[in-house]
């Protein structure tokens, strides 16, 4: 079981100068937790009147959860979606509308169902519990939720769940595609931490080495299980689930998604929003992120290998060109995150001065392409854009324009200042 008390004790008097706190108070991952769910929550004095939000797939994977809650005396309302594939603001509002006469929310499932409940429970001041059914993404313990509104995906900063539960028997039987998606989501942390470090170096953005270390402990747990992830080994999925939760804890400790996501996540968001604007299902989050991680990892290594010196200029972005790369429904949000734009914080002279150090950090912090590909394949994760239905045109659009979706220093966002074309470094 994840020892939250010991983790927080290790962060006392943190050299970063900040006090680190979490809202999460209990994590339990083990065999038979589904049948004990009601007893566990009753022992934690979780609210008796509950809304259970799930979809048909998660409900069929863990039917004992609802049964155990009823047997323990919880009074239940249910909202069961047919399929929950991505989190939209309309679904948040549907959950909120059911919360006036309940005191707590239990999200049964993984990913989007967690996200809509995270936002709705926070907005309505209700306690929140997650029962995870697949180790498919790293947001279980996060205090943010990616929500789609106007075909634009923004992070909503809300609150962690107070309780996270998972049954290893359920996790082990999760579809292979979902397990692989969780692995891909965690491999992204290499780039997320690097982009965070680069921003600290160039702009002085807050960075905590101890939080970064917690994230990488989670990565290490998952990498160690790459070869066993596609089996039904309960020990392997327990370790993977703990790694995924550690990533979310790191986000909460930093009060930012920085420890968990960098350019690769934003590339995935671009692809997703492009498809959503056209009514196309965009694939599982971690599956897309894994493919984007392979691409950005390769781009960063190629930059370090091929570009010895740079002569940066003030950001030369053609904003008409950028707007043309987004659906009209996204323009208001695009303007919001670029007014001002993040490169106003980056001095060309500072970027030039730091480039040798950035090159060294890339080599030190990122796995080489061969290692990345070996691990992804061992875990059964896909690695080619075609595997997530991204063709050459969408690939290029995503790589060129993704960084404009966030007010955040990413190395990819600095390439126009460096007078470099990202497409020259993909292969």
């Amino acid at each position: 079981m994840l020892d939250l008390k010991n983790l927080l004790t290790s962060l006392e008097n943190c050299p970063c100068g900040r006090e680190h706190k979490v809202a999460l108070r209990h994590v339990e991952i083990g065999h038979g937790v589904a049948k004990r769910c009601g007893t566990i929550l009753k022992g934690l004095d979780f609210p008796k009147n509950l809304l259970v939000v799930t979809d048909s797939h998660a409900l069929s994977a863990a039917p004992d959860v609802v049964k155990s809650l009823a047997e323990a005396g919880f009074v239940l309302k249910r909202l069961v979606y047919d399929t929950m594939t991505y989190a939209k603001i309309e679904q948040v509002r549907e959950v909120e509308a059911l919360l006036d006469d309940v005191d707590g929310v239990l999200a049964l499932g993984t990913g989007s169902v967690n996200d809509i409940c995270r936002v709705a429970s926070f907005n309505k001041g209700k306690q929140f519990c997650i029962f995870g059914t697949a180790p498919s993404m790293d947001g279980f313990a996060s205090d943010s939720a990616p929500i789609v509104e106007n075909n634009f995906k923004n992070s909503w900063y809300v609150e962690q769940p107070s309780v996270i539960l998972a049954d290893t028997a359920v996790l082990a039987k999760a579809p292979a595609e979902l397990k692989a998606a969780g692995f891909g989501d965690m491999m992204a942390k290499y780039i997320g931490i690097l982009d965070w470090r680069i921003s600290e170096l160039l702009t002085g953005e807050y960075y905590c080495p101890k939080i970064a270390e917690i994230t990488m402990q989670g990565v290490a747990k998952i990498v160690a299980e790459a070869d066993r992830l596609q089996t039904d080994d309960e020990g392997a999925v327990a370790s993977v689930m703990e790694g995924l939760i550690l990533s979310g804890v790191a986000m909460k400790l930093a009060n930012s998604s920085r420890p968990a996501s960098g350019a690769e996540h934003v590339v995935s968001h671009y692809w997703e929003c492009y498809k959503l604007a056209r009514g196309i299902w965009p694939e599982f989050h971690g599956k897309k992120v894994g493919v984007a991680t392979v691409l950005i990892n390769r781009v960063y290594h190629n930059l370090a290998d091929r570009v010895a010196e740079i002569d940066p200029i003030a950001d030369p972005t053609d904003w008409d060109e950028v707007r043309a790369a987004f659906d009209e429904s996204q323009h208001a949000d695009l303007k919001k995150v670029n007014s001002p734009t993040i490169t106003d914080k980056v001095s060309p002279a500072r970027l030039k001065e730091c480039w040798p150090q950035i090159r060294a950090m890339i080599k030190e912090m990122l796995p080489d392409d061969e290692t990345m590909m070996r691990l992804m394949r061992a875990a059964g994760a896909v690695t080619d854009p075609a595997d997530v239905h991204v063709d050459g045109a969408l690939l290029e659009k995503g790589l060129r324009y993704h960084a404009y979706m966030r007010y955040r220093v990413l190395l990819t966002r600095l390439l126009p200042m460096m007078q470099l074309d990202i497409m020259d470094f993909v292969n």
Side-chain angles (χ1 to χ4, degrees), residues 178-197:
L178 290 180
K179 295 179 187 177
F183 188 87
D185 205 3
M186 284 301 288
M187 292 303 283
K189 309 317 164 207
Y190 289 106
I191 295 166
I193 298 297
L194 173 66
D195 272 331
W196 195 16
R197 285 270 311 270

PDB file of all heavy atoms in Angstrom, residues 178-197:
ATOM      1  N   LEU A 178      -5.625  -1.014 -22.735  1.00  0.00           N
ATOM      2  CA  LEU A 178      -5.670  -0.040 -21.648  1.00  0.00           C
ATOM      3  C   LEU A 178      -4.414  -0.110 -20.790  1.00  0.00           C
ATOM      4  O   LEU A 178      -3.894   0.914 -20.344  1.00  0.00           O
ATOM      5  CB  LEU A 178      -6.917  -0.267 -20.796  1.00  0.00           C
ATOM      6  CG  LEU A 178      -8.250   0.073 -21.452  1.00  0.00           C
ATOM      7  CD1 LEU A 178      -9.407  -0.202 -20.498  1.00  0.00           C
ATOM      8  CD2 LEU A 178      -8.287   1.525 -21.906  1.00  0.00           C
ATOM      9  N   LYS A 179      -3.914  -1.314 -20.545  1.00  0.00           N
ATOM     10  CA  LYS A 179      -2.662  -1.452 -19.797  1.00  0.00           C
ATOM     11  C   LYS A 179      -1.523  -0.768 -20.543  1.00  0.00           C
ATOM     12  O   LYS A 179      -0.699  -0.050 -19.956  1.00  0.00           O
ATOM     13  CB  LYS A 179      -2.329  -2.922 -19.566  1.00  0.00           C
ATOM     14  CG  LYS A 179      -3.292  -3.681 -18.692  1.00  0.00           C
ATOM     15  CD  LYS A 179      -2.820  -5.124 -18.589  1.00  0.00           C
ATOM     16  CE  LYS A 179      -3.813  -5.991 -17.863  1.00  0.00           C
ATOM     17  NZ  LYS A 179      -3.375  -7.415 -17.829  1.00  0.00           N
ATOM     18  N   ALA A 180      -1.465  -1.002 -21.844  1.00  0.00           N
ATOM     19  CA  ALA A 180      -0.419  -0.386 -22.660  1.00  0.00           C
ATOM     20  C   ALA A 180      -0.554   1.130 -22.680  1.00  0.00           C
ATOM     21  O   ALA A 180       0.445   1.859 -22.706  1.00  0.00           O
ATOM     22  CB  ALA A 180      -0.463  -0.946 -24.082  1.00  0.00           C
ATOM     23  N   ALA A 181      -1.800   1.627 -22.655  1.00  0.00           N
ATOM     24  CA  ALA A 181      -2.018   3.076 -22.624  1.00  0.00           C
ATOM     25  C   ALA A 181      -1.448   3.679 -21.350  1.00  0.00           C
ATOM     26  O   ALA A 181      -0.838   4.761 -21.367  1.00  0.00           O
ATOM     27  CB  ALA A 181      -3.516   3.383 -22.739  1.00  0.00           C
ATOM     28  N   GLY A 182      -1.634   3.010 -20.220  1.00  0.00           N
ATOM     29  CA  GLY A 182      -1.065   3.490 -18.968  1.00  0.00           C
ATOM     30  C   GLY A 182       0.446   3.544 -19.019  1.00  0.00           C
ATOM     31  O   GLY A 182       1.076   4.483 -18.503  1.00  0.00           O
ATOM     32  N   PHE A 183       1.044   2.561 -19.652  1.00  0.00           N
ATOM     33  CA  PHE A 183       2.501   2.548 -19.804  1.00  0.00           C
ATOM     34  C   PHE A 183       2.956   3.735 -20.653  1.00  0.00           C
ATOM     35  O   PHE A 183       3.922   4.436 -20.307  1.00  0.00           O
ATOM     36  CB  PHE A 183       2.947   1.236 -20.451  1.00  0.00           C
ATOM     37  CG  PHE A 183       4.441   1.046 -20.467  1.00  0.00           C
ATOM     38  CD1 PHE A 183       5.079   0.465 -19.392  1.00  0.00           C
ATOM     39  CD2 PHE A 183       5.205   1.467 -21.545  1.00  0.00           C
ATOM     40  CE1 PHE A 183       6.462   0.294 -19.388  1.00  0.00           C
ATOM     41  CE2 PHE A 183       6.576   1.301 -21.560  1.00  0.00           C
ATOM     42  CZ  PHE A 183       7.210   0.711 -20.475  1.00  0.00           C
ATOM     43  N   GLY A 184       2.265   3.977 -21.765  1.00  0.00           N
ATOM     44  CA  GLY A 184       2.623   5.104 -22.627  1.00  0.00           C
ATOM     45  C   GLY A 184       2.504   6.432 -21.915  1.00  0.00           C
ATOM     46  O   GLY A 184       3.341   7.324 -22.074  1.00  0.00           O
ATOM     47  N   ASP A 185       1.455   6.569 -21.076  1.00  0.00           N
ATOM     48  CA  ASP A 185       1.256   7.806 -20.322  1.00  0.00           C
ATOM     49  C   ASP A 185       2.417   8.041 -19.355  1.00  0.00           C
ATOM     50  O   ASP A 185       2.836   9.180 -19.132  1.00  0.00           O
ATOM     51  CB  ASP A 185      -0.068   7.723 -19.556  1.00  0.00           C
ATOM     52  CG  ASP A 185      -0.668   9.087 -19.240  1.00  0.00           C
ATOM     53  OD1 ASP A 185      -0.100  10.105 -19.663  1.00  0.00           O
ATOM     54  OD2 ASP A 185      -1.707   9.122 -18.575  1.00  0.00           O
ATOM     55  N   MET A 186       2.955   6.975 -18.770  1.00  0.00           N
ATOM     56  CA  MET A 186       4.055   7.130 -17.820  1.00  0.00           C
ATOM     57  C   MET A 186       5.396   7.372 -18.506  1.00  0.00           C
ATOM     58  O   MET A 186       6.255   8.084 -17.969  1.00  0.00           O
ATOM     59  CB  MET A 186       4.144   5.906 -16.918  1.00  0.00           C
ATOM     60  CG  MET A 186       3.073   5.879 -15.842  1.00  0.00           C
ATOM     61  SD  MET A 186       3.085   7.320 -14.730  1.00  0.00           S
ATOM     62  CE  MET A 186       4.551   6.995 -13.757  1.00  0.00           C
ATOM     63  N   MET A 187       5.595   6.818 -19.678  1.00  0.00           N
ATOM     64  CA  MET A 187       6.865   7.064 -20.386  1.00  0.00           C
ATOM     65  C   MET A 187       7.010   8.541 -20.752  1.00  0.00           C
ATOM     66  O   MET A 187       8.117   9.054 -20.945  1.00  0.00           O
ATOM     67  CB  MET A 187       6.953   6.185 -21.633  1.00  0.00           C
ATOM     68  CG  MET A 187       7.087   4.702 -21.341  1.00  0.00           C
ATOM     69  SD  MET A 187       8.510   4.290 -20.317  1.00  0.00           S
ATOM     70  CE  MET A 187       9.833   4.413 -21.534  1.00  0.00           C
ATOM     71  N   ALA A 188       5.891   9.241 -20.819  1.00  0.00           N
ATOM     72  CA  ALA A 188       5.911  10.677 -21.110  1.00  0.00           C
ATOM     73  C   ALA A 188       6.603  11.488 -20.029  1.00  0.00           C
ATOM     74  O   ALA A 188       7.032  12.626 -20.268  1.00  0.00           O
ATOM     75  CB  ALA A 188       4.475  11.179 -21.286  1.00  0.00           C
ATOM     76  N   LYS A 189       6.727  10.929 -18.815  1.00  0.00           N
ATOM     77  CA  LYS A 189       7.267  11.708 -17.694  1.00  0.00           C
ATOM     78  C   LYS A 189       8.724  12.117 -17.922  1.00  0.00           C
ATOM     79  O   LYS A 189       9.167  13.149 -17.414  1.00  0.00           O
ATOM     80  CB  LYS A 189       7.164  10.931 -16.376  1.00  0.00           C
ATOM     81  CG  LYS A 189       5.806  10.362 -16.067  1.00  0.00           C
ATOM     82  CD  LYS A 189       4.661  11.323 -16.361  1.00  0.00           C
ATOM     83  CE  LYS A 189       3.356  10.552 -16.390  1.00  0.00           C
ATOM     84  NZ  LYS A 189       2.324  11.156 -17.217  1.00  0.00           N
ATOM     85  N   TYR A 190       9.467  11.329 -18.680  1.00  0.00           N
ATOM     86  CA  TYR A 190      10.841  11.711 -18.992  1.00  0.00           C
ATOM     87  C   TYR A 190      10.866  13.101 -19.633  1.00  0.00           C
ATOM     88  O   TYR A 190      11.665  13.962 -19.263  1.00  0.00           O
ATOM     89  CB  TYR A 190      11.471  10.707 -19.966  1.00  0.00           C
ATOM     90  CG  TYR A 190      11.773   9.349 -19.388  1.00  0.00           C
ATOM     91  CD1 TYR A 190      10.994   8.238 -19.705  1.00  0.00           C
ATOM     92  CD2 TYR A 190      12.880   9.152 -18.550  1.00  0.00           C
ATOM     93  CE1 TYR A 190      11.281   6.975 -19.214  1.00  0.00           C
ATOM     94  CE2 TYR A 190      13.178   7.893 -18.044  1.00  0.00           C
ATOM     95  CZ  TYR A 190      12.375   6.813 -18.376  1.00  0.00           C
ATOM     96  OH  TYR A 190      12.670   5.565 -17.882  1.00  0.00           O
ATOM     97  N   ILE A 191       9.968  13.302 -20.600  1.00  0.00           N
ATOM     98  CA  ILE A 191       9.934  14.579 -21.319  1.00  0.00           C
ATOM     99  C   ILE A 191       9.312  15.662 -20.453  1.00  0.00           C
ATOM    100  O   ILE A 191       9.767  16.815 -20.444  1.00  0.00           O
ATOM    101  CB  ILE A 191       9.176  14.422 -22.654  1.00  0.00           C
ATOM    102  CG1 ILE A 191       9.954  13.467 -23.567  1.00  0.00           C
ATOM    103  CG2 ILE A 191       8.990  15.781 -23.332  1.00  0.00           C
ATOM    104  CD1 ILE A 191       9.171  12.978 -24.757  1.00  0.00           C
ATOM    105  N   GLY A 192       8.272  15.315 -19.684  1.00  0.00           N
ATOM    106  CA  GLY A 192       7.645  16.293 -18.812  1.00  0.00           C
ATOM    107  C   GLY A 192       8.631  16.915 -17.831  1.00  0.00           C
ATOM    108  O   GLY A 192       8.684  18.144 -17.662  1.00  0.00           O
ATOM    109  N   ILE A 193       9.440  16.080 -17.198  1.00  0.00           N
ATOM    110  CA  ILE A 193      10.432  16.590 -16.238  1.00  0.00           C
ATOM    111  C   ILE A 193      11.495  17.417 -16.951  1.00  0.00           C
ATOM    112  O   ILE A 193      11.923  18.474 -16.453  1.00  0.00           O
ATOM    113  CB  ILE A 193      11.070  15.427 -15.461  1.00  0.00           C
ATOM    114  CG1 ILE A 193      10.013  14.667 -14.639  1.00  0.00           C
ATOM    115  CG2 ILE A 193      12.182  15.942 -14.541  1.00  0.00           C
ATOM    116  CD1 ILE A 193       9.339  15.470 -13.553  1.00  0.00           C
ATOM    117  N   LEU A 194      11.916  16.972 -18.132  1.00  0.00           N
ATOM    118  CA  LEU A 194      12.917  17.732 -18.897  1.00  0.00           C
ATOM    119  C   LEU A 194      12.383  19.111 -19.274  1.00  0.00           C
ATOM    120  O   LEU A 194      13.067  20.128 -19.071  1.00  0.00           O
ATOM    121  CB  LEU A 194      13.324  16.966 -20.150  1.00  0.00           C
ATOM    122  CG  LEU A 194      14.232  17.739 -21.118  1.00  0.00           C
ATOM    123  CD1 LEU A 194      15.592  18.027 -20.489  1.00  0.00           C
ATOM    124  CD2 LEU A 194      14.387  17.002 -22.434  1.00  0.00           C
ATOM    125  N   ASP A 195      11.181  19.175 -19.824  1.00  0.00           N
ATOM    126  CA  ASP A 195      10.610  20.476 -20.201  1.00  0.00           C
ATOM    127  C   ASP A 195      10.486  21.390 -18.979  1.00  0.00           C
ATOM    128  O   ASP A 195      10.689  22.605 -19.077  1.00  0.00           O
ATOM    129  CB  ASP A 195       9.239  20.286 -20.869  1.00  0.00           C
ATOM    130  CG  ASP A 195       9.328  20.081 -22.376  1.00  0.00           C
ATOM    131  OD1 ASP A 195      10.280  20.596 -22.991  1.00  0.00           O
ATOM    132  OD2 ASP A 195       8.440  19.409 -22.942  1.00  0.00           O
ATOM    133  N   TRP A 196      10.144  20.814 -17.842  1.00  0.00           N
ATOM    134  CA  TRP A 196      10.038  21.576 -16.598  1.00  0.00           C
ATOM    135  C   TRP A 196      11.402  22.155 -16.200  1.00  0.00           C
ATOM    136  O   TRP A 196      11.522  23.331 -15.860  1.00  0.00           O
ATOM    137  CB  TRP A 196       9.486  20.669 -15.505  1.00  0.00           C
ATOM    138  CG  TRP A 196       8.975  21.351 -14.270  1.00  0.00           C
ATOM    139  CD1 TRP A 196       8.671  22.675 -14.109  1.00  0.00           C
ATOM    140  CD2 TRP A 196       8.707  20.734 -13.010  1.00  0.00           C
ATOM    141  NE1 TRP A 196       8.233  22.917 -12.822  1.00  0.00           N
ATOM    142  CE2 TRP A 196       8.237  21.743 -12.135  1.00  0.00           C
ATOM    143  CE3 TRP A 196       8.805  19.415 -12.535  1.00  0.00           C
ATOM    144  CZ2 TRP A 196       7.882  21.481 -10.797  1.00  0.00           C
ATOM    145  CZ3 TRP A 196       8.441  19.155 -11.225  1.00  0.00           C
ATOM    146  CH2 TRP A 196       7.991  20.165 -10.364  1.00  0.00           C
ATOM    147  N   ARG A 197      12.423  21.315 -16.277  1.00  0.00           N
ATOM    148  CA  ARG A 197      13.779  21.765 -15.949  1.00  0.00           C
ATOM    149  C   ARG A 197      14.246  22.868 -16.894  1.00  0.00           C
ATOM    150  O   ARG A 197      14.893  23.835 -16.490  1.00  0.00           O
ATOM    151  CB  ARG A 197      14.765  20.585 -16.050  1.00  0.00           C
ATOM    152  CG  ARG A 197      14.713  19.568 -14.932  1.00  0.00           C
ATOM    153  CD  ARG A 197      15.631  19.877 -13.770  1.00  0.00           C
ATOM    154  NE  ARG A 197      16.984  20.209 -14.129  1.00  0.00           N
ATOM    155  CZ  ARG A 197      17.985  19.335 -14.265  1.00  0.00           C
ATOM    156  NH1 ARG A 197      17.754  18.028 -14.108  1.00  0.00           N
ATOM    157  NH2 ARG A 197      19.198  19.741 -14.548  1.00  0.00           N
TER     158      ARG A 197
END
